[in-house]
Amino acid sequence: MLHSVRAHRGMVTAPHHLAAQAGLGVLQDGGNAIEATVAVAATLAVVYPHMTGIGGDGFWLVAEPDGTTWAIDACGAAAAAADLALYAGLDAVPNRGPLAANTVAGTVSGWQAALARSGGTLPLARLLRDAIHHAECGVAVTKSGADILSAKGAELRHQPGAWAATYDGCAEGALLRQPALGATLRRLAEEGLDAFYRGSLAADIARELQALGSPVMLSDLQLHAAAMSDPLHVRVGDVALFNTAPPTQGIASLLILALAHRLPTAQAESFAHVHGLVEATKQAFLYRDRHVGDPAYMQVDPQALLGDAAALDAMAARIDGERALPWPHPPQLGDTCWFGAADAAGRVVSCIQSTYFEFGSGWCSPRRGSPGRIAAAASA
């Protein structure tokens, strides 16, 4: 049976208990949900490094107490040098290695953009305090963390950088220390989050990327900034649903729910209910795969579709209640990391921060301490 947890003074949820505690501590110290989410995000980069880090991307969805909703796209663009010539002779961008680390990491810019609009008063050093502590003093490796490290070790321990020295051989209960990551977080706390893209820290990052063989240069970092965006929205009955716009696949989740709502009512968890959800997902994924990508090159407006009841009715009508649509499309690897916070004022934050799949490109900076990611993280 589903049970909704309720609280009047705030709430935090995250995939690791230490990250949730970091966000809760910020709320208890008078911070708001945005400040708490930054603390969660930074802590996850330390305690949950296989799925998120300062070398990844971030997407924010914020609902204000007055009913307004806004979003942040903290997804970095491809490096200027990441052209077809760079991948000549290859049939795809590699999943691991220097040529996979080919886009600007947008995560930290998302923190910066969110805090600029937060109205919060806590200093950055307080928001990053727990993350820095766990990086420098260490965190116990969980069973699931040890299992992932063991499963991925064969393909990652030989990658250039510090992955093997940092993570290889960590068993359940081992103390994982990441002093290089802690030092980088301290620099961000002291110099400001913009230092990741401009200034001496950015120059250090760029030099390491260049030495690695990544196409990302200092000029790419300097050109990056998180973008404020209008979230996509659709009505399902009396409820307004929101999600982030492309390059994310937020349109897909909204389409699934909008289409499933149009199908004949079925008892929850019945065959008809599950069949309808699966078939609605297929229709949404067909739209996503055909149309969603870099918004600068898209030929359709996802919000126009979500606001067109007749078009949604037509999509739902394609679903056969008796037969499954053939699905020859191969599955793709990928996963992501979600967390959220709410405060006493009624502000709610939903955030995704990801390296797309376990450890992304596999490159871990010897001096910065964070795994990098691949361009496909934009579709998380």
Side-chain angles (χ1 to χ4, degrees):
M1 171 182 272
L2 293 176
H3 175 69
S4 296
V5 177
R6 292 175 172 84
H8 295 286
R9 297 172 60 193
M11 185 180 297
V12 178
T13 183
H16 195 289
H17 67 99
L18 290 177
Q21 289 174 16
L24 180 61
V26 167
L27 292 180
Q28 291 169 334
D29 283 355
N32 60 35
I34 293 174
E35 294 172 303
T37 302
V38 170
V40 173
T43 303
L44 283 173
V46 176
V47 304
Y48 207 66
H50 60 291
M51 284 313 307
T52 182
I54 61 174
D57 283 327
F59 301 95
W60 291 64
L61 190 62
V62 182
E64 296 286 2
D66 63 4
T68 60
T69 305
W70 48 276
I72 297 173
D73 173 355
C75 177
D83 55 17
L84 291 177
L86 182 67
Y87 298 96
L90 301 175
D91 58 3
V93 176
N95 285 338
R96 307 286 196 188
L99 293 182
N102 58 8
T103 56
V104 175
T107 290
V108 174
S109 70
W111 306 352
Q112 181 182 19
L115 290 175
R117 191 164 171 174
S118 70
T121 59
L122 293 182
L124 182 59
R126 170 62 188 90
L127 304 183
L128 303 187
R129 184 193 70 188
D130 288 22
I132 293 170
H133 169 80
H134 293 313
E136 295 180 341
C137 297
V139 59
V141 177
T142 63
K143 181 182 185 305
S144 61
D147 290 345
I148 290 169
L149 291 171
S150 176
K152 299 297 177 180
E155 61 181 289
L156 290 170
R157 66 173 57 100
H158 302 299
Q159 292 294 333
W163 191 93
T166 304
Y167 302 110
D168 203 14
C170 286
E172 179 183 1
L175 190 64
L176 172 62
R177 290 190 176 94
Q178 301 169 86
L181 179 54
T184 298
L185 292 170
R186 279 194 179 278
R187 287 185 67 175
L188 289 173
E190 295 167 358
E191 300 174 23
L193 297 175
D194 195 57
F196 193 91
Y197 305 96
R198 286 156 282 273
S200 61
L201 177 57
D204 291 343
I205 293 170
R207 276 193 293 270
E208 289 195 38
L209 287 167
Q210 291 289 287
L212 168 76
S214 164
V216 178
M217 296 184 289
L218 179 59
S219 56
D220 297 308
L221 295 173
Q222 292 171 334
L223 288 171
H224 174 76
M228 308 298 298
S229 63
D230 294 325
L232 300 176
H233 56 90
V234 68
R235 293 205 69 84
V236 174
D238 295 330
V239 178
L241 303 175
F242 296 86
N243 211 327
T244 49
T248 78
Q249 55 179 312
I251 176 66
S253 66
L254 295 181
L255 276 178
I256 292 168
L257 295 171
L259 297 178
H261 180 72
R262 285 167 162 77
L263 301 179
T265 302
Q267 182 180 354
E269 307 303 324
S270 65
F271 174 84
H273 179 224
V274 174
H275 173 73
L277 288 174
V278 171
E279 295 305 301
T281 300
K282 291 178 182 178
Q283 292 295 324
F285 282 8
L286 287 172
Y287 177 90
R288 176 202 65 185
D289 293 349
R290 185 178 301 120
H291 297 297
V292 177
D294 186 335
Y297 298 96
M298 288 177 59
Q299 301 298 311
V300 300
D301 177 3
Q303 185 54 55
L305 171 62
L306 293 172
D308 188 339
L312 294 175
D313 290 343
M315 288 184 71
R318 299 172 196 161
I319 296 174
D320 188 329
E322 302 297 327
R323 291 180 174 83
L325 180 72
W327 195 256
H329 309 286
Q332 295 182 355
L333 295 174
D335 205 343
T336 195
C337 173
W338 179 89
F339 44 99
D343 58 33
R347 181 180 293 103
V348 180
V349 180
S350 173
C351 191
I352 286 174
Q353 186 171 283
S354 180
T355 54
Y356 186 53
F357 59 82
E358 292 89 347
F359 294 103
S361 68
W363 177 64
C364 181
S365 167
R367 294 180 178 83
R368 310 305 137 212
S370 177
R373 56 111 169 127
I374 65 173
S379 64

